[in-house]
Amino acid sequence: LEKEISSLKLKVYELKNERNEIQEKSDRRLKDFESFKYRMDRERRGAFIDQIANLAAQMLPVLDNLNRALDAVPANTEGRSQDYQQLVDGLVLVNQQMNEVFAGMGVTTINSKGEAFDPNFHEAVAAEQREDMPPNLVIDEMLRGYRIGNKVIRHSMVKVSSGTAPAPVPVAEPKISEDSTEID
């Protein structure tokens, strides 16, 4: 009877060890699966944002041209025909709708004018010496930049202040001694 009890205890011990191993493997697989789900979800969201960014990048020149067309409309429209005014109103509505679509996609503009120059968001295409402004301040925006979340779709092309010009440092001419051929 004691042999049978000890063999059963041994069998119970082995079964408990086997159960613990199976439980550990199951927990490990569950953690691996959760990690896999998280990674796939992150990659899927990243791919979705990349697709939106690509679409927005292709549509930005259209929006830029629409903004240029609206900027070219004279402020004073007196004496213009009703057809002309309807065309301008239509352009304004299309521009507004495009901006709403971009906002719905999560695309936002990058603030530039008056901000400190940041190479992560701005591309300096010109510099102007300004004594009334601190250096590296964005003076003007040539082309508006856009981003979606933290991803930059297009950098803002800006003009940056360079502050005051440093005073030129005088360069001393080397003296040649009359007694030697060395330069002082």
Side-chain angles (χ1 to χ4, degrees):
L1 188 62
E2 284 185 17
K3 283 184 178 180
E4 192 175 323
I5 290 174
S6 67
S7 75
L8 288 174
K9 282 183 179 179
L10 183 62
K11 186 127 178 147
V12 166
Y13 178 75
E14 289 173 356
L15 289 173
K16 281 184 179 180
N17 283 341
E18 187 178 332
R19 184 190 65 83
N20 287 340
E21 287 177 18
I22 291 172
Q23 185 66 40
E24 287 175 12
K25 285 180 182 178
S26 174
D27 290 345
R28 199 173 318 124
R29 284 186 184 142
L30 181 63
K31 286 179 184 177
D32 288 346
F33 181 68
E34 290 296 324
S35 177
F36 172 76
K37 279 185 5 182
Y38 175 75
R39 188 173 57 247
M40 287 294 108
D41 188 48
R42 188 180 65 221
E43 287 177 10
R44 184 180 50 80
R45 279 184 278 136
F48 182 68
I49 288 173
D50 287 344
Q51 289 174 347
I52 290 175
N54 288 337
L55 174 65
Q58 292 177 5
M59 292 298 294
L60 285 178
V62 175
L63 184 62
D64 292 337
N65 289 332
L66 191 57
N67 285 329
R68 286 184 194 106
L70 288 174
D71 290 343
V73 173
N76 185 4
T77 58
E78 287 181 25
R80 302 286 182 170
S81 70
Q82 186 177 357
D83 291 340
Y84 177 80
Q85 188 59 43
Q86 287 176 348
L87 175 68
V88 171
D89 291 343
L91 287 174
V92 168
L93 289 174
V94 170
N95 187 6
Q96 187 178 29
Q97 190 175 23
M98 287 275 295
N99 286 318
E100 288 171 2
V101 168
F102 277 129
M105 292 175 11
V107 176
T108 58
T109 59
I110 296 174
N111 295 330
S112 296
K113 199 167 183 177
E115 299 284 326
F117 175 76
D118 184 353
N120 296 317
F121 300 112
H122 305 127
E123 180 180 341
V125 294
E128 184 177 314
Q129 231 172 345
R130 300 277 298 260
E131 293 181 18
D132 60 330
M133 294 185 166
N136 295 326
L137 188 72
V138 175
I139 299 171
D140 195 17
E141 180 180 65
M142 276 68 153
L143 189 62
R144 182 169 288 146
Y146 293 88
R147 69 182 183 179
I148 181 167
N150 292 332
K151 181 182 175 81
V152 174
I153 299 170
R154 180 175 73 190
H155 290 80
S156 296
M157 291 187 185
V158 296
K159 182 191 289 188
V160 180
S161 67
S162 61
T164 58
V169 178
V171 179
E173 299 259 340
K175 293 182 184 177
I176 301 178
S177 335
E178 292 179 15
D179 342 338
S180 74
T181 57
E182 294 180 13
I183 299 176
D184 292 332

